[in-house]
Amino acid sequence: LVDHDLNDDLSKELDLYDKLSDEYASYATKEESDFYLVLRDLVDLIKRFKSGNVRFEEMRAMEHGCGTGQAMRHLKRNGLKNIVGCDINQKMIDHARQIDPDGVYLNVDSDRLPFDDEQFDFVLSCLVILVIHSREIIQNIFSEVNRTLKRDGLFIVINTSRELYSSDRRWRFTESHMFAENENIVSGSLIKNRIKDTDINFEDYYWSDEDVNEWAARAGFHLVHIHSPLGVDSDSIDWKSERIASPFRIYILKKKC
């Protein structure tokens, strides 16, 4: 388990999201946002890599770090019946419950999930590890998720890509190129980003493919696929650099038997 001091540090890092929770909740409900690219291919990826004959609609799922519930609502709209959302930030949970009164949203500590072993067919972690500065905390999250997954269960980790912070890129919804400190980043570097036309400014952390793969292996997963979603004409969104480079990485991890 993660020690008390590390959890205190994590709570401090999440203070920013607590202060921005109202505006972030409003942004997350917009039809046109970078969440579209994050979520567009998610259901197809789960159906493609799931094990066994269980139908997507009947899978039991958990979202770790659900925030205001955007990803959960997307999965439910696509037919998923049994999913629970967990987040360390009570204000985010409150917003999720207001937007989706029928959803199940739990405020949890980061070091121990309140579920028995082997409960879920898949667990989703959407843009969570980028807010965490500590490799130890992230490793613990991966291990806890592994404990709660059924044999051959999927852990889908969505994170930002190295490309997102390139000064050469111009994105449809964010302005990471404006921050000089994003140049020459390495895994674990503090990075900054801003959502256009809002007061939402982020200070997060960049984590590399190599680190994600290492955490996965130590926790008992093997990496089966990395998906980098690109913007296409059929999205009906005026994508910019998203057409040639992906701002996101979607890791499909499978629990080892």
Side-chain angles (χ1 to χ4, degrees), residues 176-192:
S176 54
H177 68 279
M178 298 184 66
F179 299 97
E181 48 266 71
N182 290 344
E183 288 294 312
N184 303 314
I185 60 174
V186 297
S187 196
S189 291
L190 181 73
I191 49 85
K192 294 184 178 182

Side-chain angles (χ1 to χ4, degrees), residues 1-11 110-112 133-134 136-137 140:
L1 299 181
V2 175
D3 66 41
H4 180 72
D5 290 339
L6 286 175
N7 272 325
D8 286 346
D9 289 344
L10 179 57
S11 295
S110 65
D111 64 341
R112 183 71 177 177
H133 82 289
S134 166
E136 185 178 349
I137 292 175
N140 184 74

